[in-house]
Amino acid sequence: DVCSSDLSGPMIKDTEKHTISSPIKLEDECFLGPNCLILPGANIGYGSIISANTVVKRNIGELEIVSSLGKKIKKRSTR
């Protein structure tokens, strides 16, 4: 585990001390598989499904299913 005080010591490079954050928005009825990584600024639309071990670095639209490669598999037609 890493806490914020660990990132301020003299052994940590200045380039690694600063973090970038941005809100993540999860709509209703989303399903995130285990070990997903949602990067800052990504939005997950209503009813979307993110498969296991997926890194999401872009916005996912409504009712989309996304694989571990971050590509859209298919879009469901109805709610």
Side-chain angles (χ1 to χ4, degrees):
D1 291 329
V2 176
C3 68
S4 61
S5 63
D6 292 338
L7 297 176
S8 61
M11 300 301 290
I12 305 297
K13 296 177 187 175
D14 285 338
T15 56
E16 296 174 359
K17 288 182 183 180
H18 305 288
T19 59
I20 298 172
S21 66
S22 185
I24 295 171
K25 183 177 180 182
L26 297 175
E27 297 284 339
D28 292 333
E29 305 291 328
C30 291
F31 176 80
L32 302 178
N35 298 321
C36 283
L37 176 61
I38 312 298
L39 296 179
N43 296 319
I44 311 297
Y46 172 86
S48 295
I49 299 172
I50 312 298
S51 68
N53 301 313
T54 299
V55 177
V56 177
K57 47 188 172 177
R58 62 178 178 84
N59 292 336
I60 304 299
E62 186 175 290
L63 301 172
E64 287 185 6
I65 301 172
V66 180
S67 73
S68 59
L69 298 176
K71 296 182 178 180
K72 181 172 65 168
I73 297 173
K74 63 182 177 179
K75 189 169 185 173
R76 294 186 286 172
S77 59
T78 61
R79 289 185 180 193

